[in-house]
Amino acid sequence: MERGYFGIGVYHPKWEVNIGTLWRSAFIFGASFIFTIGRRYKKQGSDTVVSFRHIPLWNFKTYKEFKEHIPYDCRLVCIEMDKKAVLLDRFVHPQRAVYLLGAEDYGLPSRILKDNVIVQIPTIKPYSLNVSVSGSIILSHRLEQRNNSLSRGYENDPK
């Protein structure tokens, strides 16, 4: 029996196309939900597989409102370029997780980063990736890690 769940979202997203792409990736990789905090775009029209029929998109006005709705015993994982970050290839995904990506133009505020796990995608060049690309990489890595655990017989791992 597979345990756990996960969701992924963006803090103050600027471009609706990134939400549509992330929504599609989240659906394909098995996420339970996606969300935005303080969205700045007007509408979302780029979800080509009609993911809204399969997983919900929640919109929170503030980080405080979002924190009030994180599921019980669920780990918030910030995805950001930061000196304190764990590199993705060394990160063990929690069984229950909510992944938070930063705004396209300024990332995640330090007040959010200071109290949460931070994961960074390793790159060769010191530039940030597109937010929907970053989210897709995180989701793919989670699936790969899950599949590796299942192949070793850890499907009942209580993490």
Side-chain angles (χ1 to χ4, degrees), residues 14-137:
K14 188 174 182 180
W15 306 110
E16 70 275 356
V17 69
N18 285 329
I19 299 305
T21 302
L22 184 61
W23 206 346
R24 179 181 180 164
S25 293
F27 167 59
I28 291 169
F29 285 112
S32 302
F33 59 91
I34 71 165
F35 63 94
T36 65
I37 301 171
R39 72 178 186 182
R40 295 183 281 168
Y41 63 89
K42 299 289 184 213
K43 65 178 183 130
Q44 194 302 114
S46 63
D47 174 20
T48 60
V49 297
V50 199
S51 299
F52 70 87
R53 293 181 180 168
H54 308 285
I55 65 171
L57 166 65
W58 289 310
N59 298 295
F60 299 100
K61 290 182 180 172
T62 65
Y63 178 71
K64 180 182 177 192
E65 179 186 6
F66 162 73
K67 285 288 283 189
E68 291 169 356
H69 291 89
I70 289 179
Y72 172 76
D73 197 32
C74 186
R75 190 79 183 259
L76 178 59
V77 179
C78 297
I79 310 303
E80 187 64 82
M81 295 173 70
D82 190 274
K83 293 175 191 168
K84 299 177 291 181
V86 175
L87 292 179
L88 180 60
D89 57 352
R90 294 194 167 108
F91 181 67
V92 177
H93 294 269
Q95 191 177 80
R96 294 164 307 284
V98 175
Y99 300 95
L100 180 59
L101 302 152
E104 293 96 325
D105 46 359
Y106 58 84
L108 289 170
S110 59
R111 68 181 170 82
I112 293 174
L113 295 175
K114 73 177 182 161
D115 295 327
N116 295 294
V117 173
I118 308 168
V119 174
Q120 181 172 327
I121 298 168
T123 59
I124 296 195
K125 306 289 184 190
Y127 301 107
S128 63
L129 295 164
N130 170 279
V131 70
S132 61
V133 170
S134 294
S136 297
I137 290 170

